[in-house]
Amino acid sequence: MALPVLLLLCTAPLVRGHGSGVVIDSCEDMELHHSGLSPQTAPSPFTVTTEQRRYGLGEDVIVELQGPASTPFTGFLLQARELGSKSPVGSFAIPEGAAQLLTCSQRANSAVSHTSGFNSSYVQVTWRSEPSRDIKAVHFCASFVQNSTTFWINVTSPVLTFTNGRAARSAGALTTSTDNGSLQPGSLVKSAGPISSADCGVTKVCFSQPSNCDPAVSASCYFMSAKMLAGGEAVHFEMTGPYEGYIAFGFSDDQRMGNDDIYVCVMKSNGQVEVEHMYSTGRSKPQVLPLGNVYNRTTSLQNSVISCVFTTTNTISIEGTSGFNQSYYLLFSYGPSNNGSIRIHMGTFTSNKRININNPLVVDKDDVPDIIKAHGSLMLIAWMTTGSLGMMVARYLKKMAKGKKMCDKDLWFMVHVGVMCLTVAATIIAFILVFVHSQDWSGGAHPVLGCLVMILSLIQPIGALLRCGPQHHLYVSICVCLINILYHAYTHLRILCSNII
């Protein structure tokens, strides 16, 4: 039976002579050599925490080093040690460029330290326990340097308890790492458990379609969540949904595409699911940005459901607004991809209000705007009601109300003119409303058909104004001419069809 284990995570930045972070001489005692100064005795503002309290053989454990946003630390050294021993155990994997791996006690990648010019309030790395070993006990310890004269050592963290056997990993999740332990673009730190709606509104912001669906239960649930991590400098994101090619969420200053900070979960041409960072400046295809500080990526395509989970310190940034503490509209879209490149989306949904990801809540998606409902209602009234009624009046009421007058005009004609004027008026109002809302050309067939309907609607009253009287010789001549044209067209078409047959 394995004894309880305590992880020792020791972080110590370089002061003088150690600006590069290569502090091999501090591996054993975790002290800051050559500084000539004593560590602080007051409580440290920096902490060492983990996402879990248990681990198994060969399991990945997320380790977070953090402090107040106003008080960054300038370096660190991190180890995991058995209790009562100064020898490190396990190995680390790190985000590329954020830190460097060290070899302590002849164990490769057994320690992590800062790089030159380091200055941050948050670092996240992954520690992997020994794949097979009789681990007895380990404890956590940390040392932080704030500046050239202020540093802390032996900052302890909560205990991790060892569980027998290797922890279960979710099937189908992709996990890769380089030989030197650094994480490359597209690589993953660990295989996360299934994404679910647990803790929505408690510790994380959640946004889904259908509303309040749980992706752990329904494969048809489009879902994203954002959880602000301690320190306020990093966010843990999750997104999942039915696979079409890609899913994406973005932060925007309005409820329309354009000026949006976007993260995309897409199947690439190499057959792997990857996270991409993009920015849209209009209704054209978003521009791909460098991924930046995105860590601990977990991606999967399983049972026709695509998922991406990651942590980032990239601040949300759109034109005129930036920062995690600002309010934004949430956008979610999904659609096909071609050789790893996203195509125009097949569906979208938007939050009904601005949200701040620092405040956990369940976000409601925006219903169809009232102005769009009015547009649809007016077009329905125009062409399914008044327009159809006007045509039927001209066809049938002319005979039924023969001889009846209104304002010295035939009754059927006055009714026909009235309902057709309503049709044209409703069409014009609906046309104006939708352009006021969109303020742009949305693309696709719908706006093209709408413009054609508008043009044909305007032709109706123009033709009526130019109409001659029923007894006018020109009116009669035009009618006879039209009849002859239709007759000859019918005759030629019949002859042509006979020749083909």
Side-chain angles (χ1 to χ4, degrees), residues 458-479:
L458 293 175
I459 290 175
Q460 291 281 335
I462 294 172
L465 290 174
L466 299 177
R467 172 182 174 273
C468 301
Q471 307 305 323
H472 195 281
H473 66 89
L474 181 60
Y475 177 82
V476 176
S477 299
I478 292 174
C479 290

Side-chain angles (χ1 to χ4, degrees), residues 130-212:
E130 303 287 349
S132 59
R133 186 181 172 189
D134 183 17
I135 301 178
K136 299 187 177 179
V138 181
H139 71 293
F140 281 101
C141 154
S143 301
F144 294 88
V145 169
Q146 182 178 338
N147 53 48
S148 60
T149 60
T150 307
F151 60 94
W152 287 262
I153 63 172
N154 297 320
V155 179
T156 59
S157 67
V159 177
L160 265 79
T161 304
F162 177 75
T163 57
N164 237 344
R166 186 183 179 92
R169 311 176 73 85
S170 61
L174 307 175
T175 305
T176 60
S177 62
T178 60
D179 292 338
N180 65 2
S182 63
L183 301 179
Q184 303 300 320
S187 66
L188 310 173
V189 173
K190 67 172 186 174
S191 177
I195 299 173
S196 77
S197 61
D199 297 326
C200 285
V202 179
T203 62
K204 61 186 181 181
V205 172
C206 296
F207 186 40
S208 64
Q209 180 179 276
S211 297
N212 300 315

Side-chain angles (χ1 to χ4, degrees), residues 58-234:
E59 183 179 358
D60 291 345
V61 176
I62 299 298
V63 183
E64 296 174 319
L65 312 179
Q66 52 198 327
S70 59
T71 310
F73 51 96
T74 58
F76 66 91
L77 175 67
L78 171 65
Q79 286 185 1
R81 292 182 174 182
E82 286 191 3
L83 184 64
S85 172
K86 292 185 178 181
S87 299
V89 294
S91 60
F92 288 94
I94 59 174
E96 188 175 19
Q100 60 183 321
L101 297 169
L102 301 178
T103 298
C104 288
S105 301
Q106 298 183 341
R107 286 178 175 269
N109 307 330
S110 60
V112 184
S113 74
H114 62 284
T115 55
S116 180
F118 178 86
N119 186 19
S120 177
S121 297
Y122 181 83
V123 173
Q124 186 180 74
V125 299
T126 300
W127 178 79
R128 175 169 291 180
S129 63
E130 303 287 349
S132 59
R133 186 181 172 189
D134 183 17
I135 301 178
K136 299 187 177 179
V138 181
H139 71 293
F140 281 101
C141 154
S143 301
F144 294 88
V145 169
Q146 182 178 338
N147 53 48
S148 60
T149 60
T150 307
F151 60 94
W152 287 262
I153 63 172
N154 297 320
V155 179
T156 59
S157 67
V159 177
L160 265 79
T161 304
F162 177 75
T163 57
N164 237 344
R166 186 183 179 92
R169 311 176 73 85
S170 61
L174 307 175
T175 305
T176 60
S177 62
T178 60
D179 292 338
N180 65 2
S182 63
L183 301 179
Q184 303 300 320
S187 66
L188 310 173
V189 173
K190 67 172 186 174
S191 177
I195 299 173
S196 77
S197 61
D199 297 326
C200 285
V202 179
T203 62
K204 61 186 181 181
V205 172
C206 296
F207 186 40
S208 64
Q209 180 179 276
S211 297
N212 300 315
C213 64
D214 187 348
V217 176
S218 173
S220 61
C221 178
Y222 292 99
F223 178 90
M224 69 81 58
S225 72
K227 179 181 179 181
M228 181 64 67
L229 301 180
E233 288 200 349

Side-chain angles (χ1 to χ4, degrees), residues 116-444:
S116 180
F118 178 86
N119 186 19
S120 177
S121 297
Y122 181 83
V123 173
Q124 186 180 74
V125 299
T126 300
W127 178 79
R128 175 169 291 180
S129 63
E130 303 287 349
S132 59
R133 186 181 172 189
D134 183 17
I135 301 178
K136 299 187 177 179
V138 181
H139 71 293
F140 281 101
C141 154
S143 301
F144 294 88
V145 169
Q146 182 178 338
N147 53 48
S148 60
T149 60
T150 307
F151 60 94
W152 287 262
I153 63 172
N154 297 320
V155 179
T156 59
S157 67
V159 177
L160 265 79
T161 304
F162 177 75
T163 57
N164 237 344
R166 186 183 179 92
R169 311 176 73 85
S170 61
L174 307 175
T175 305
T176 60
S177 62
T178 60
D179 292 338
N180 65 2
S182 63
L183 301 179
Q184 303 300 320
S187 66
L188 310 173
V189 173
K190 67 172 186 174
S191 177
I195 299 173
S196 77
S197 61
D199 297 326
C200 285
V202 179
T203 62
K204 61 186 181 181
V205 172
C206 296
F207 186 40
S208 64
Q209 180 179 276
S211 297
N212 300 315
C213 64
D214 187 348
V217 176
S218 173
S220 61
C221 178
Y222 292 99
F223 178 90
M224 69 81 58
S225 72
K227 179 181 179 181
M228 181 64 67
L229 301 180
E233 288 200 349
V235 184
H236 183 69
F237 288 115
E238 301 173 316
M239 60 174 148
T240 185
Y243 174 68
E244 300 287 349
Y246 74 91
I247 55 176
F249 68 84
F251 298 91
S252 179
D253 59 351
D254 55 31
Q255 294 175 299
R256 296 186 297 272
M257 180 179 176
N259 188 30
D260 312 319
D261 194 348
I262 303 169
Y263 286 98
V264 181
C265 183
V266 59
M267 173 65 76
K268 303 299 289 184
S269 57
N270 59 6
Q272 293 187 346
V273 179
E274 294 184 8
V275 177
E276 289 188 340
H277 191 194
M278 295 187 178
Y279 190 86
S280 67
T281 54
R283 294 190 178 274
S284 57
K285 181 178 177 180
Q287 177 185 1
V288 178
L289 301 177
L291 196 55
N293 298 319
V294 174
Y295 314 130
N296 304 316
R297 281 161 284 173
T298 301
T299 66
S300 67
L301 176 58
Q302 198 174 3
N303 300 324
S304 297
V305 175
I306 188 170
S307 303
C308 287
V309 179
F310 59 95
T311 300
T312 180
T313 56
N314 293 335
T315 186
I316 300 171
S317 181
I318 60 177
E319 185 178 346
T321 309
S322 64
F324 291 138
N325 60 343
Q326 302 295 323
S327 294
Y328 308 90
Y329 285 103
L330 279 177
L331 311 178
F332 195 105
S333 65
Y334 50 91
S337 62
N338 183 18
N339 291 326
S341 179
I342 67 172
R343 307 293 296 273
I344 188 169
H345 52 72
M346 297 171 56
T348 64
F349 53 99
T350 310
S351 63
N352 62 350
K353 62 181 179 180
R354 292 175 179 266
I355 61 98
N356 187 323
I357 59 176
N358 286 281
N359 304 321
L361 79 160
V362 177
V363 182
D364 292 326
K365 65 184 180 69
D366 189 41
D367 292 329
V368 178
D370 290 340
I371 195 170
I372 296 299
K373 291 180 180 178
H375 165 79
S377 298
L378 287 170
M379 294 300 279
L380 186 65
I381 291 170
W383 297 106
M384 296 298 291
T385 307
T386 57
S388 300
L389 181 61
M391 290 184 284
M392 287 189 290
V393 165
R395 176 66 178 85
Y396 299 106
L397 191 61
K398 183 187 296 186
K399 295 180 180 178
M400 295 172 58
K402 187 175 182 180
K404 294 183 179 181
K405 300 288 184 177
M406 177 185 290
C407 300
D408 295 329
K409 300 287 185 181
D410 289 338
L411 177 63
W412 73 266
F413 180 74
M414 297 301 294
V415 175
H416 171 77
V417 169
V419 293
M420 292 310 291
C421 285
L422 287 175
T423 299
V424 175
T427 302
I428 293 173
I429 295 172
F431 186 80
I432 294 173
L433 287 178
V434 75
F435 268 95
V436 168
H437 172 73
S438 298
Q439 296 180 357
D440 198 356
W441 186 264
S442 62

